[in-house]
């Protein structure tokens, strides 16, 4: 194709391209979009905060009744790990935001790094949950005996079943996070390959 | 975000929407093919801009900065939801009112162009959209983190693919 045909194609397509675009309608619409996004983010943060807070409370309650220094140490490790998980999650979010004005390959590289962090976060959760179980199970068994509780008592629900359900929910969430992050890494690698094509 | 930054961001986003609203709409349609996805992507783009604009120090033109953020969000969005169904022949705009024949032809052409652009590989698609927005090869190269020569290759391949698709559909 000649240079003139090429320039003709671009001009024609540019005219068609520029005919599109209804805009965001009005700044008020944009504010509405942003307010909705901020609400969604706030809700996600509140849920994460509530989950981390509840996990820390249960751990602290169990730590209060630790039978020996080993259990106390284990409880402390679990508590610190939960705190670290929460902080790591917040940092991942911040890192994702910071890359938005980079060049596209840098943006993709950073996103890949963020998704790798998601995978490590999921794996960390899989490490913390058994540790937490190892720490809580003796507390549950001894607590049930000492307080003569049945498995359906309100106390059992508060100290055993609800934390167990919370741990199960966290496990399911971590599996979904892991799967989604792996799928996104695969897609990002494919995209990065496209941006590397033609590189000299 | 502190209150003063929030006020600055609100003012900046109002200006961006006024000055570049149509451009943002075109970029969004370059990555998605249906109205609900377009709305979701637009929300992500505007939120990203709202956060990023207070940090903008004029290293490039505001338009280039806006395009950079919008494309990066488009890429992120498309890695999460890759589903480019073929659009129905009547295009993506559902307008119950009867259209004048010329307008219909224009809209069909435009929709075919968008479909063809969406089918391009990511790097080519982005280069084409930026070219159609009037960016120079140097500006595109900067945004894509590559050389002008590579951008030239991408644009040449994209043009060939677009011509082939559009001619095939016309024929």
């Amino acid at each position: 194709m000649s240079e003139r045909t090429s320039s003709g194609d671009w001009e024609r397509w540019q005219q068609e391209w520029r005919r599109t675009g209804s805009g965001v309608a009005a700044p008020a619409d944009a504010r509405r979009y942003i307010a909705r996004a901020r609400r969604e983010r706030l809700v996600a943060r509140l849920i994460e905060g509530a989950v981390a807070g509840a996990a820390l409370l249960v751990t602290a309650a169990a730590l209060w009744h630790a039978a020996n220094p080993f259990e106390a140490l284990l409880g402390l490790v679990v508590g610190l790990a939960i705190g670290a998980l929460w902080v790591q999650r917040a940092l991942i979010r911040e890192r994702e935001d910071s890359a938005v004005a980079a060049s596209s390959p840098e943006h993709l590289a950073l996103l890949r790094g963020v998704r790798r962090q998601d995978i490590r976060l999921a794996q960390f959760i899989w490490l913390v949950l058994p540790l937490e179980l190892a720490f809580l199970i003796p507390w549950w068994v001894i607590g049930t005996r000492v307080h003569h509780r049945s498995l359906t008592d309100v106390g059992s629900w508060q100290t055993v079943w609800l934390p167990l359900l919370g741990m199960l929910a966290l496990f399911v969430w971590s599996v979904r996070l892991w799967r989604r992050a792996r799928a996104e890494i695969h897609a990002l690698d494919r995209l990065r390959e496209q941006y590397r094509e033609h590189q000299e | 975000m502190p209150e003063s930054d929030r006020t600055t961001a609100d003012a900046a986003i109002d200006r961006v929407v006024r000055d570049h609203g149509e451009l943002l709409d075109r970029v969004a349609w370059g990555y998605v093919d249906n109205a609900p996805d377009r709305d979701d992507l637009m929300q992500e783009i505007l939120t990203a801009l709202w956060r990023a604009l207070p940090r903008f120090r004029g290293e490039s033109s505001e338009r280039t900065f806006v395009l950079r953020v919008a494309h990066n969000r488009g890429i992120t969005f498309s890695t999460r939801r890759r589903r480019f169904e073929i659009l129905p022949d009547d295009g993506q705009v559902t307008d119950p009112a009867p259209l004048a024949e010329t307008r219909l032809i224009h809209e069909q052409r435009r929709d075919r162009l968008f479909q063809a652009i969406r089918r391009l590989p990511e790097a080519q698609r982005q280069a084409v959209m930026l070219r159609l927005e009037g960016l120079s090869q140097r500006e595109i190269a900067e945004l894509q983190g590559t050389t002008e020569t590579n951008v030239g290759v991408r644009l040449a391949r994209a043009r060939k693919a677009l011509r082939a698709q559009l001619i095939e559909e016309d024929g």
Side-chain angles (χ1 to χ4, degrees):
Chain A
M1 298 290 164
S2 72
E3 192 58 36
R4 221 169 66 182
T5 319
S6 160
S7 137
D9 280 342
W10 288 118
E11 276 171 25
R12 198 175 62 253
W13 293 336
Q14 197 163 34
Q15 276 175 8
E16 283 167 22
W17 175 262
R18 295 249 168 124
R19 265 200 291 269
T20 310
S22 56
V24 193
D29 285 349
R31 295 269 187 99
R32 190 170 45 80
Y33 278 128
I34 292 163
R36 194 171 69 183
R38 286 178 59 205
R39 269 199 309 275
E40 285 169 4
R41 184 175 280 225
L42 183 69
V43 167
R45 281 188 176 169
L46 282 176
I47 290 171
E48 280 169 17
V51 169
L56 282 171
L57 271 178
V58 171
T59 311
L63 195 59
W64 188 257
H65 294 89
N68 53 54
F70 174 73
E71 268 191 27
L73 181 69
L74 189 61
L76 209 61
V77 168
V78 168
L80 286 173
I82 292 167
L85 282 175
W86 191 22
V87 171
Q88 198 184 347
R89 184 74 187 146
L91 289 176
I92 287 174
R93 248 193 247 282
E94 290 302 317
R95 199 170 162 216
E96 195 164 357
D97 279 351
S98 69
V100 78
S103 73
S104 294
E106 282 171 348
H107 177 68
L108 290 174
L110 207 134
L111 273 186
R112 194 184 190 282
V114 168
R115 296 289 84 90
R116 286 287 315 155
Q117 275 186 315
D118 277 344
I119 287 179
R120 281 198 290 272
L121 180 69
Q123 288 166 341
F124 190 41
I125 288 172
W126 299 340
L127 195 73
V128 171
L129 284 178
L131 271 180
E132 196 170 9
L133 275 177
F135 172 62
L136 288 176
I137 285 172
W139 181 57
W140 287 336
V141 172
I142 295 165
T144 306
R145 277 188 203 149
V146 169
H147 296 288
H148 306 290
R149 279 185 193 141
S150 74
L151 291 175
T152 50
D153 282 351
V154 177
S156 292
W157 272 103
Q158 284 172 343
T159 55
V160 181
W161 299 118
L162 282 178
L164 256 179
L165 281 175
M167 288 163 78
L168 185 67
L170 188 63
F171 176 72
V172 171
W173 178 79
S174 69
V175 171
R176 289 183 62 186
L177 179 74
W178 179 79
R179 288 177 63 179
R180 203 172 52 225
R182 270 172 59 100
E184 279 189 35
I185 284 179
H186 185 69
L188 286 168
D189 283 345
R190 201 169 38 76
L191 286 180
R192 290 177 78 200
E193 197 55 45
Q194 286 179 25
Y195 277 91
R196 271 197 292 267
E197 268 179 27
H198 327 302
Q199 295 279 25
E200 290 163 334
Chain B
M1 188 185 278
E3 191 55 40
S4 59
D5 281 2
R6 194 170 296 178
T7 314
T8 314
D10 283 346
I13 203 76
D14 286 354
R15 194 185 60 251
V16 163
V17 168
R18 269 196 313 273
D19 297 349
H20 309 295
E22 291 189 356
L23 170 153
L24 291 175
D25 196 36
R26 288 193 289 267
V27 172
W29 278 120
Y31 285 95
V32 298
D33 60 5
N34 60 78
D37 276 358
R38 179 263 181 206
D39 286 351
D40 287 348
L41 175 55
M42 192 58 91
Q43 177 173 311
E44 290 200 11
I45 291 172
L46 289 169
T47 310
L49 280 168
W50 185 77
R51 287 177 190 284
L53 279 166
R55 295 197 301 267
F56 175 55
R57 298 284 172 265
E59 302 87 354
S60 60
S61 71
E62 187 178 73
R63 191 162 182 269
T64 309
F65 180 80
V66 167
L67 276 168
R68 191 185 281 251
V69 173
H71 275 278
N72 281 340
R73 271 292 165 244
I75 293 169
T76 315
F77 193 86
S78 60
T79 56
R80 288 204 303 266
R81 299 190 207 182
R82 180 155 290 278
R83 47 166 209 234
F84 295 142
E85 298 96 356
I86 304 299
L87 288 174
D89 284 340
D90 59 350
Q92 60 212 12
V93 183
T94 48
D95 186 355
L99 295 164
E101 197 179 350
T102 29
R103 195 174 154 209
L104 185 64
I105 290 167
H106 281 317
E107 288 194 353
Q108 282 177 341
R109 265 194 212 147
R110 180 204 62 191
D111 290 344
R112 279 207 302 271
L113 176 66
F114 268 83
Q115 278 184 45
I117 288 172
R118 281 196 290 263
R119 287 191 198 118
L120 292 172
E122 194 75 43
Q124 288 182 25
R125 174 158 41 129
Q126 190 185 46
V128 166
M129 287 199 277
L130 294 169
R131 169 78 168 77
L132 296 177
E133 286 298 339
L135 262 63
S136 68
Q137 283 201 192
R138 188 183 58 75
E139 286 171 311
I140 300 172
E142 196 183 309
L143 207 141
Q144 291 201 322
T146 188
T147 62
E148 288 182 51
T149 316
N150 290 335
V151 171
V153 173
R154 278 176 191 160
L155 286 173
R157 290 188 180 182
R159 188 177 73 86
K160 202 173 160 190
L162 284 176
R163 273 183 71 92
Q165 282 192 58
L166 294 171
I167 288 168
E168 188 184 317
E169 283 171 17
D170 281 343

